[in-house]
Amino acid sequence: MRKLSMTWMLAGLLVVASCGNSTQQNEPTQNEQEPVSQVEQVQQPTVQRVAFLPTGNTPDFVDAAENSVNAVVHIMTKVVRQSTTYNDFFGALLGQLYGYPGQTRSNTMVAYGSGVVLTPDGYIVTNNHVVDGADEVEVTFNNKVKRTATIIGTDPTTDLALIKVDATDLDYLVFGDSDQVRIGEWVLAVGNPFNLTSTVTAGIVSAKARNLSILGEGTSVESFIQTDAAVNPGNSGGALVNTKGELVGINAAIASHTGSYEGYSFAIPSNIVRKVVDDLLLYGTAQRGYLGVQIAELTQELAEKEGLENIEGVYVAEVTEGGAAKLAGMKSGDVITAINDKKVNSTTQLRESVGQYRPGDKVDVEVNRNGTHHHYNLTLLNESGNVDVVKKGDSFYNAEFGLMLQSVNQDEMSRLDIPNGLKIVEIREGRFMNSGVPVNFVITKVNGYPVNNKSDLESALQNKRSRRTTIEGVYPNGMMGSFFY
C-alpha cells in the first residue's frame, strides 16, 4: 500500500512550460487502403436521461463566493536567513568594533499564503506556518491595496496565527459553527493557489475529525475537516466557507504524492479557530484546558479485553493525580462518550471538543462505567494544574544589548527543542544594530548560563568568566548560532 505524503500549504509559484509535439504521418496510397467491411445498420436502444440533481436544487455558490473573495487576502512573507551551518554570525559586528574584516552571509526566503479578514479594522487569521519566523509580512487585498502586517500572536499547536494591518471598513467573514458541518455538505475553498489571487473552488465535506499527525505530539490539537475542494500551495490560511458564506474552516494541508492537489485537502474547524483567535487577542498566547486523563482509541480488541459491550467512546487508560478528572471522581477504565452533550467516538473528536474551552471552564463529561452512564461536572485545569490564565511574557529592555527581550513560551520551546530562552522582539540602538542578528532570535545562554528571564540575564552578565561576553542561541528556523564581543 502506498502512503500519501502530507504537504504543508506553503505557497509557491508554479511555472509551466508547454512544448508542442508534432508527428508526420504518411497517407496510405490507394493500393495500401484497407478493405472496407459491410456494416449492418442496427437499431440503437432507447437511452433515458436521468438528472443527477433534482430540478431547482442545484447548489448556488455565487453569493457565498462574492462574500468571500474580498475578505480573503494574499500574504507574502520574507525571512532573512544566515548560512545553513552552525554560524558565527557576529562577524559584521566584530568588524565594526575591532576593525576585523568580518562577513555576514545571508539570503532572503520569500513565501506566499492566504489569510482571512475577521474584523473591519484589520485583524486577519492565517496559518502559523505561513508567517512562522517571518521578518516581514505583506498583505495584498483583492482590490490590489497592500499593507504591512504585524504578528499579534501564533499557536503552533493548532497551526494558527493572528496578524493585524492598519485599516478601516474592510470586508470580513463571520464565523459559522463547524460542529454543525455535515459530511456531504457543499463548501468553497477561497485563497491564492500558485499566486493566483482570489481563486474559488468547490467541493463537499468528505470527512471530519481527521488526525494527520503533522503538528507533533504533546498539546497539539488536530481535528481537520477533510474536503475535495481543490486546494494547492498558496491556499494555506485561506477560507473554507459554506454556501451561506460563513467561515467554517481555515485551509491548512493537502495529502499528495506530488505536492499539488490530488483530491484530499484539510481545514482547521472554525470553532477551534474562533477560540484560538480570541486567546491570541486577549492573552497573546493560546489557553489550553486539560481533563487530566491518558486516553486511547476504543477498538474491538480493547473492548473485548476490558469486557465492554459497546465500541463507542474514548477509553480512559489513566487518570492523572491532581487533574480535573480525578478531582471530579472519574476512574481509569471509564469510557468518555460525550462532552457537553456532544458525542465523541475518537481521541481526535475528544481533543477537538476539549480544545474549544479554557482553564476554569466547566464541562459536563458523560462516562460509561461498566455499562452504567455517569455525568461528571468538572473544571478544566491548565498544564500547571490550576485555572490561572497563561499570559504572554512581558517584554523588558536590556541596555547593554540594546534589545527588547521576552521569555519564550512552552509551545515555542517545544518547537525549537530548547529548555529555555529569551526571544529578541525589538532591536534598538546598540551592539546588535546592523549585526545580522534577527528579531525572533532566541538567546538560550549568556556566558554559559541558561537565561529565561530578566533576572537570569542580569546574573549571567555579572558572572562572566572572562572579559568578553559569549552568547548562544537559535534562529526561528531552528538553526543554532553563537557569538561573542
Side-chain angles (χ1 to χ4, degrees):
M1 183 178 69
R2 300 176 66 186
K3 292 186 178 179
L4 293 175
S5 63
M6 300 311 304
T7 303
W8 286 110
M9 305 284 36
L10 289 176
L13 179 62
L14 180 66
V15 179
V16 179
S18 112
C19 301
N21 185 11
S22 62
T23 303
Q24 186 175 1
Q25 297 181 341
N26 295 323
E27 293 293 333
T29 63
Q30 186 173 5
N31 294 333
E32 294 173 336
Q33 295 284 350
E34 294 183 3
V36 179
S37 302
Q38 293 285 342
V39 179
E40 293 185 7
Q41 192 171 16
V42 180
Q43 185 176 0
Q44 297 294 322
T46 303
V47 178
Q48 189 172 17
R49 299 184 181 275
V50 178
F52 287 97
L53 290 173
T55 304
N57 288 340
T58 304
D60 185 354
F61 304 125
V62 175
D63 290 340
E66 288 182 350
N67 290 339
S68 303
V69 290
N70 291 324
V72 175
V73 299
H74 178 274
I75 295 177
M76 180 184 73
T77 61
K78 292 182 180 180
V79 180
V80 179
R81 301 197 178 198
Q82 305 296 319
S83 67
T84 57
T85 59
Y86 191 95
N87 181 34
D88 177 4
F89 58 74
F90 224 62
L93 184 57
L94 289 174
Q96 295 175 22
L97 294 177
Y98 304 110
Y100 296 163
Q103 293 183 346
T104 300
R105 288 184 246 172
S106 64
N107 63 304
T108 301
M109 307 286 292
V110 178
Y112 303 94
S114 303
V116 180
V117 181
L118 299 179
T119 63
D121 59 344
Y123 283 99
I124 298 169
V125 66
T126 185
N127 286 139
N128 174 65
H129 74 258
V130 170
V131 300
D132 186 30
D135 297 298
E136 296 179 30
V137 181
E138 182 183 81
V139 170
T140 303
F141 294 87
N142 194 36
N143 60 3
K144 301 180 182 179
V145 172
K146 295 183 179 182
R147 293 281 188 271
T148 298
T150 302
I151 299 176
I152 301 300
T154 61
D155 181 28
T157 65
T158 56
D159 192 27
L160 291 169
L162 183 66
I163 63 177
K164 176 74 166 63
V165 297
D166 291 329
T168 57
D169 298 326
L170 296 177
D171 290 320
Y172 62 96
L173 289 183
V174 298
F175 282 107
D177 185 353
S178 56
D179 287 347
Q180 301 303 315
V181 171
R182 301 172 63 190
I183 295 174
E185 178 179 340
W186 284 99
V187 286
L188 300 179
V190 188
N192 305 282
F194 304 122
N195 268 347
L196 300 173
T197 57
S198 305
T199 298
V200 180
T201 57
I204 63 168
V205 174
S206 307
K208 295 181 66 177
R210 287 292 196 210
N211 186 342
L212 307 178
S213 299
I214 54 179
L215 297 181
E217 300 298 328
T219 59
S220 295
V221 180
E222 289 193 33
S223 186
F224 294 106
I225 298 172
Q226 179 182 327
T227 78
D228 64 354
V231 169
N232 279 292
N235 275 110
S236 275
L240 187 74
V241 301
N242 58 22
T243 53
K244 299 177 184 177
E246 297 171 333
L247 182 67
V248 296
I250 295 295
N251 296 313
I254 59 175
S256 173
H257 297 288
T258 64
S260 297
Y261 173 74
E262 291 184 13
Y264 304 93
S265 55
F266 303 90
I268 304 163
S270 60
N271 287 359
I272 293 291
V273 178
R274 187 205 304 256
K275 187 263 180 186
V276 172
V277 165
D278 286 346
D279 285 349
L280 296 178
L281 189 59
L282 293 172
Y283 311 110
T285 189
Q287 307 297 305
R288 288 279 176 270
Y290 294 91
L291 289 175
V293 293
Q294 298 292 324
I295 55 178
E297 292 287 354
L298 186 56
T299 62
Q300 181 174 335
E301 292 77 14
L302 181 57
E304 291 174 352
K305 177 183 177 182
E306 298 297 327
L308 302 173
E309 295 183 0
N310 298 320
I311 313 175
E312 296 178 355
V314 177
Y315 184 75
V316 178
E318 184 179 342
V319 178
T320 306
E321 286 293 332
K326 181 76 171 181
L327 295 174
M330 291 176 58
K331 299 179 179 179
S332 299
D334 286 345
V335 177
I336 300 174
T337 58
I339 300 291
N340 283 348
D341 296 325
K342 178 185 175 183
K343 296 294 182 182
V344 293
N345 201 32
S346 69
T347 57
T348 302
Q349 288 179 325
L350 178 60
R351 288 193 178 99
E352 179 185 352
S353 296
V354 176
Q356 298 177 28
Y357 300 97
R358 299 185 179 96
D361 289 344
K362 295 184 181 297
V363 295
D364 177 78
V365 181
E366 184 178 345
V367 166
N368 179 2
R369 180 182 297 166
N370 300 323
T372 303
H373 283 263
H374 303 267
H375 286 264
Y376 293 93
N377 190 16
L378 55 82
T379 302
L380 297 177
L381 303 178
N382 61 27
E383 198 171 14
S384 300
N386 56 59
V387 297
D388 295 341
V389 170
V390 179
K391 291 190 176 182
K392 189 174 182 180
D394 293 331
S395 59
F396 64 92
Y397 180 68
N398 180 268
E400 181 171 341
F401 287 168
L403 298 176
M404 289 295 296
L405 298 163
Q406 186 178 83
S407 296
V408 180
N409 61 38
Q410 189 62 49
D411 290 336
E412 195 161 9
M413 284 191 285
S414 297
R415 181 180 67 82
L416 295 173
D417 193 24
I418 56 176
N420 61 274
L422 287 172
K423 182 167 66 175
I424 299 174
V425 295
E426 184 182 348
I427 300 175
R428 298 183 180 177
E429 293 294 335
R431 299 179 184 275
F432 284 74
M433 186 64 69
N434 301 320
S435 66
V437 182
V439 169
N440 292 326
F441 180 84
V442 176
I443 299 173
T444 56
K445 290 184 179 180
V446 174
N447 296 324
Y449 295 98
V451 293
N452 202 43
N453 51 48
K454 183 178 180 180
S455 177
D456 289 345
L457 178 59
E458 291 174 348
S459 177
L461 289 172
Q462 291 174 0
N463 295 324
K464 62 183 179 181
R465 301 181 180 93
S466 65
R467 295 179 60 185
R468 69 182 186 181
T469 296
T470 60
I471 297 172
E472 300 172 54
V474 60
Y475 287 95
N477 64 359
M479 185 184 75
M480 298 184 68
S482 69
F483 56 91
F484 66 90
Y485 67 87

